[in-house]
Amino acid sequence: MGGALSLLAVNFVIAQIFAAAFLVIAAKRRPGRPAAWCAAGFAIASLAAICEAVLPFTPVPKLFAVGAFASVLAGFCLLRFGLGLFYGVPSKPWALAAFFAASVILDLFIYDLPRGTLRHAFFYQAPFFLIQAWTAAAVIRSRRRSYADWILIGFLAMNALHFLVKIYAAVAAGAGATASDYLQSPFALISQAFGAALIVGTGVAMLGVMVKDIVDKARASSETDALSGLLNRRGFIERVAPLLPTRNAEGPGALILTDLDRFKGVNDTYGHHTGDEVIRQFARVLLELMPSRAAAARLGGEEFAVFLPGVGLSDARVVAQGMRAATASTPIPGLPETATITASFGVAAIEPGEPLETALQRADKALYAAKAAGRNRVESAEPSARVVTPAVSQWIKRKL
């Protein structure tokens, strides 16, 4: 009994640690409801350890035996609800409540069946298997496929299978003649030992996916312009630079650099609130007209950039002309109907091996030419005078 009691104590402490960890995440994450539900799940499930520890000493063992069953199952249901919220595959509360109630009634019904028999073990472990499989299925249905998500799916699947294995273990090792004998049975040591390992593994995997989500959102926030919703300069460079070495018949792609015409006058005449709306509407035009694999950014103020991967100069000009026309015809809340917003565009085809910064400079010269020629027009950049690829650079060094 001493070994089983020790493992019960370990499982209780582990569950409390995870409950506290998820509460910390709930306080840091916005929204924090998924983590809060997971914290409640670990806290409720840990009550089973208290119920099982009391079993050998209480005159009402049925109350605590059913309480242990209900605590673990309720904890698993709360975890299913929390992970469902996190992964965007929520379960209906009434469905979980109905499942929980039916499972507890089933446990009451089988309570007097002989322990250590296949019939008792199957009906006792089946609800735990089902709720774990249900939770794993929810994560799979979300279609999130990072390494952290796959690890969590693996642990949830192992949890589900572990309850099927416990059916055989309860029969083979013996689970005690009565509920009060559970802690003295060999099955108790097996059950608690495997349970502790899987609690740790699953808890760490759940923490991993939620912490990764916090980090990913923080990184996305640092790379996104809050007003337009587009990438900022840093995000644009980090997104586009790795794509330039990609081989394509049309070259790495093309850059469109664009600037809203006389934007300062809009702010001075109609106010910064209207100016902000102009920025948002222009960003919407860029997003709607650029190809799906393209990247758009607000580089600062009223200056924007669009990267078109695998697109040549002529096609990039067509896209820019479409953006120019759409901008001039887009109504802006806060502006009179007679007021028109226009933009100038500079387009540059990126040469193979050309650094992004160099291509941006060429596109900027073309944009300046568009503004100098009267604004609300598209100009193309001259080809790069000399782009030295890494291979050619190494050849020149050897010759020198």
Side-chain angles (χ1 to χ4, degrees):
M1 182 187 297
L5 279 174
S6 298
L7 286 173
L8 282 175
V10 169
N11 287 349
F12 179 82
V13 172
I14 290 173
Q16 298 306 314
I17 291 173
F18 280 118
F22 281 107
L23 284 177
V24 171
I25 290 179
K28 297 291 184 183
R29 188 177 183 272
R30 294 292 182 268
R33 288 178 59 212
W37 283 106
C38 291
F42 275 99
I44 295 296
S46 70
L47 299 178
I50 297 175
C51 292
E52 290 180 352
V54 172
L55 263 176
F57 313 105
T58 179
V60 284
K62 185 174 184 178
L63 174 64
F64 287 93
V66 175
F69 174 92
S71 297
V72 175
L73 189 64
F76 287 170
C77 288
L78 291 173
L79 291 177
R80 166 62 184 92
F81 190 76
L83 286 175
L85 292 176
F86 178 80
Y87 280 98
V89 190
S91 59
K92 294 181 172 60
W94 65 263
L96 279 172
F99 172 79
F100 174 76
S103 299
V104 173
I105 292 171
L106 175 64
D107 186 52
L108 287 168
F109 182 77
I110 67 172
Y111 180 80
D112 293 321
L113 291 177
R115 301 272 165 167
T117 62
L118 181 61
R119 186 165 51 166
H120 181 276
F122 175 81
F123 287 111
Y124 188 90
Q125 303 295 342
F128 299 125
F129 164 77
L130 291 174
I131 190 63
Q132 291 292 317
W134 190 1
T135 306
V139 180
I140 293 171
R141 283 173 55 202
S142 74
R143 300 191 182 281
R144 285 179 48 161
R145 292 295 181 269
S146 70
Y147 287 119
D149 299 314
W150 277 116
I151 290 172
L152 178 58
I153 290 171
F155 272 106
L156 290 171
M158 284 191 290
N159 260 304
L161 292 175
H162 138 265
F163 286 108
L164 292 182
V165 172
K166 285 176 74 171
I167 296 173
Y168 169 79
V171 176
T178 66
S180 301
D181 298 332
Y182 165 72
L183 287 181
Q184 301 176 9
S185 67
F187 174 68
L189 284 172
I190 298 172
S191 176
Q192 295 302 321
F194 275 98
L198 288 173
I199 284 174
V200 171
T202 305
V204 170
M206 290 170 60
L207 285 173
V209 296
M210 292 192 179
V211 169
K212 180 179 181 299
D213 186 66
I214 292 173
V215 172
D216 288 346
K217 287 185 176 179
R219 180 179 179 183
S221 177
S222 70
E223 296 178 352
T224 303
D225 174 62
L227 178 58
S228 66
L230 304 178
L231 296 168
N232 56 25
R233 179 180 288 272
R234 172 188 172 187
F236 185 74
I237 291 173
E238 291 190 1
R239 180 78 60 86
V240 174
L243 301 178
L244 297 188
T246 303
R247 295 181 180 275
N248 191 289
E250 293 286 352
L255 276 174
I256 299 175
L257 210 60
T258 176
D259 196 287
L260 290 165
D261 297 329
R262 299 183 174 91
F263 182 70
K264 184 177 183 299
V266 174
N267 282 330
D268 293 343
T269 305
Y270 303 103
H272 288 279
H273 177 76
T274 300
D276 289 349
E277 189 60 35
V278 171
I279 294 291
R280 283 190 285 265
Q281 293 293 339
F282 186 59
R284 190 171 294 116
V285 168
L286 298 183
L287 289 173
E288 288 176 353
L289 295 183
M290 72 185 195
S292 58
R293 292 173 53 244
R298 182 187 178 204
L299 301 183
E302 64 271 27
E303 187 178 18
F304 296 78
V306 179
F307 170 67
L308 306 174
V311 173
L313 182 62
S314 59
D315 289 336
R317 281 186 59 89
V318 171
V319 174
Q321 288 286 7
M323 292 173 173
R324 184 197 61 78
T327 301
S329 61
T330 298
I332 307 294
L335 285 180
E337 293 183 3
T338 56
T340 301
I341 296 298
T342 64
S344 301
F345 295 79
V347 182
I350 304 174
E351 305 288 345
E354 181 180 17
L356 177 59
E357 196 60 39
T358 303
L360 282 170
Q361 291 172 5
R362 291 196 297 113
D364 189 54
K365 289 181 180 180
L367 172 59
Y368 180 81
K371 285 191 169 291
R375 297 183 174 86
N376 190 26
R377 58 189 297 123
V378 177
E379 293 291 342
S380 300
E382 294 293 331
S384 179
R386 184 184 181 205
V387 177
V388 180
T389 64
V392 174
S393 176
Q394 292 297 323
W395 181 83
I396 292 174
K397 288 180 179 178
R398 287 198 300 269
K399 290 299 181 181
L400 294 176

